[in-house]
Amino acid sequence: MRRRSSSLRAAMLVAIAVAGLLPLSACAFGAGEPPPSGAHDPEVVAARTSAAVEEQDLLAVVALGEPITTSVQDTCKRGTYSAPWGPYDSYYWACGHVTSRVVSTATADPAQLIADYRAHLADLGCTPDEAAFDMTAEYWQMYGVPGHNANGEVYAVDDLPGGTAVCADGRTVGVAFRSAAGFDTKTFFTYTEGDGETITNESPDLAAIRARAPELVVVLSTSTGYHSVPRKESEPPSTPEPGYCACYSGSKCDCPGG
């Protein structure tokens, strides 16, 4: 079954990474044999291809610089079902595609770069997360400009939180501001092989990023949940609240176990 949803997109994005998949266990799917993921069915392949094109198109429009390197992760994650009280996912499988692109910039001032991307996203008709961009700008002024945080620890552009914006079709784009010299791919492009199917895992070219030093770079990311197989089992009941009991010296104890 093919299904897109903004919730699946959101679950895949904000960290600018793909989470590790759950280890295989006897209760991974619930009772019975699970259905196949359908990851290679023609309609799912078509949905994946469409997602990749849409992500590339969006990042190309959002970018205010030339692309340096691109990272792509595409996985189908197994849902979790653990009776009697969970955890529980409403799907047997959920497939998602993530594109992250590192782009150049001629702007040397992080404050200006933050403001430029915020304004550019708004001009495109996207809705920037005002709180996230405010925080990023304020942190640069409070800690980045003096070069240290309130505890006296070194604070640089690589420590900034970054911002997000919601664009056409509810698609979210993440924006992070970094230095080419201090760039750490582990911060953005993390993928742990686990229980599920890996369709694509293309890492970025760190050498190409470091070659742009001492310039700043911008990381743009977006994701798509393009396919899921809904679970048929009902959701397990919530964990019951423990009952009240009391034990008093010299009297009968009504707690379990006496």
Side-chain angles (χ1 to χ4, degrees), residues 192-204:
T192 302
E193 191 75 35
D195 180 31
E197 296 185 27
T198 300
I199 311 301
T200 304
N201 183 25
E202 297 177 2
S203 300

Side-chain angles (χ1 to χ4, degrees), residues 6-32:
S6 57
S7 60
L8 283 176
R9 294 184 194 129
M12 300 283 299
L13 179 62
V14 174
I16 314 182
V18 179
L21 301 176
L22 297 170
L24 181 63
S25 66
C27 60
F29 289 102

